[in-house]
Amino acid sequence: MSVYLGEFLGTMLLIILGGGVVAGAVLKGTKSEGAGWLVIVVAWGLAVAFAIYAVGNISAAHINPAVTLALAFIGEFPWEMVPGYVISQTLGALAGASLVWLHYLPHWGNTDDPAAKLAVFSTAPAARCFASNFISEMIATMILVMGILFVGANEFTEGLNPLVIGGLVMVIGLGLGGTTGFAINPARDLGPRIAHWLLPIKGKGSSDFAYAWIPVAGPILGGMLGAALYKIFFQQEYTIAYGVVSAISVFATIYAVIVNYKTKIGT
């Protein structure tokens, strides 16, 4: 099996399991309706773990463009393979979301809330402020990538690493996911959002592409920042590129603080 097919299948499995638990929790008339945030977060963590188990020995199971780009940024993954990985991940996410739609077919018509239907496919902020939403995704993905690099730097019992990374995703969701729903993965959000736009879902409402750039750009910058900080502080390596990414992240954070301050003053 090719590495690109591995990334496609791994990301598809991630979305089938992760998106599936959201569908069960928010769509009307399911056995798990109202299951809640804890169930969703735990399921996403386990979905990540099982996706890594499925294709880790084939493609290293990035299953996330932010991870792929971060590893390429610090020289641990070849840049020429990045486009193929990102395309495979995004298409896999789209396919996984389509299978979730098919699996829950009778329940879309029973659900009146368009926001609930969109939530099965993609993330949305609890408080809509693009600057702050961007920073939330940036910080959460920074922690994700740093955590993945920490795991790789330690020796675990053979086969345990995917569960550790799944636990990392769970704690990110519990600690940092309350603001934006912790996309922390451009493919996980964009692929299913496109599926929501394409699929014949009664009363689905807007796919909210105005927000779609946040869970793409925020995780990409956050992933590169996490990788850069790991290299700077834990491996004592520094390049101009690491400094540029760090500076951009600082300026973005300052901008978000200013925007929030001005918004509060205005109200």
Side-chain angles (χ1 to χ4, degrees):
M1 184 185 295
S2 75
V3 293
Y4 302 114
L5 181 57
E7 285 297 296
F8 174 89
L9 293 175
T11 312
M12 183 178 71
L13 178 60
L14 168 67
I15 300 303
I16 290 172
L17 297 175
V21 73
V22 177
V26 304
L27 296 181
K28 294 295 183 182
T30 72
K31 293 286 188 178
S32 54
E33 182 182 352
W37 184 247
L38 180 60
V39 170
I40 290 171
V41 169
V42 170
W44 272 106
L46 291 175
V48 168
F50 282 109
I52 296 172
Y53 277 124
V55 301
N57 64 338
I58 298 168
S59 65
H62 293 183
I63 58 174
N64 183 341
V67 172
T68 299
L69 286 163
L71 294 177
F73 180 63
I74 60 174
E76 296 189 10
F77 187 74
W79 277 107
E80 61 267 22
M81 295 183 70
V82 168
Y85 263 56
V86 171
I87 292 170
S88 299
Q89 292 155 356
T90 305
L91 291 177
L94 192 158
S98 300
L99 288 173
V100 171
W101 165 77
L102 181 63
H103 186 85
Y104 282 92
L105 202 56
H107 298 278
W108 300 103
N110 297 334
T111 306
D112 296 326
D113 185 4
K117 295 176 184 180
L118 180 59
V120 175
F121 295 88
S122 55
T123 60
R128 196 176 180 91
C129 174
F130 283 0
S132 292
N133 302 150
F134 180 91
I135 296 304
S136 291
E137 287 292 336
M138 183 189 78
I139 292 172
T141 315
M142 175 191 74
I143 298 299
L144 172 68
V145 170
M146 289 185 73
I148 291 171
L149 293 171
F150 290 150
V151 170
N154 288 273
E155 292 185 7
F156 293 90
T157 301
E158 185 175 356
L160 188 61
N161 285 36
L163 285 177
V164 176
I165 294 174
L168 170 64
V169 171
M170 288 183 204
V171 76
I172 289 172
L174 292 172
L176 304 174
T179 53
T180 61
F182 78 117
I184 59 175
N185 182 338
R188 170 263 176 275
D189 194 276
L190 183 59
R193 195 181 296 271
I194 294 171
H196 176 273
W197 177 61
L198 292 173
L199 291 170
I201 304 170
K202 182 181 178 181
K204 64 182 177 180
S206 170
S207 300
D208 196 13
F209 282 105
Y211 179 78
W213 70 274
I214 298 290
V216 171
I220 288 174
L221 180 59
M224 291 192 293
L225 176 62
L229 293 178
Y230 176 82
K231 283 290 189 178
I232 292 169
F233 292 109
F234 294 93
Q235 294 191 343
Q236 287 76 55
E237 297 180 19
Y238 179 81
T239 67
I240 293 176
Y242 298 165
V244 169
V245 164
S246 300
I248 292 172
S249 302
V250 170
F251 285 128
T253 303
I254 293 171
Y255 176 74
V257 172
I258 292 172
V259 167
N260 272 275
Y261 177 76
K262 287 184 175 180
T263 301
K264 289 186 177 181
I265 292 297
T267 56

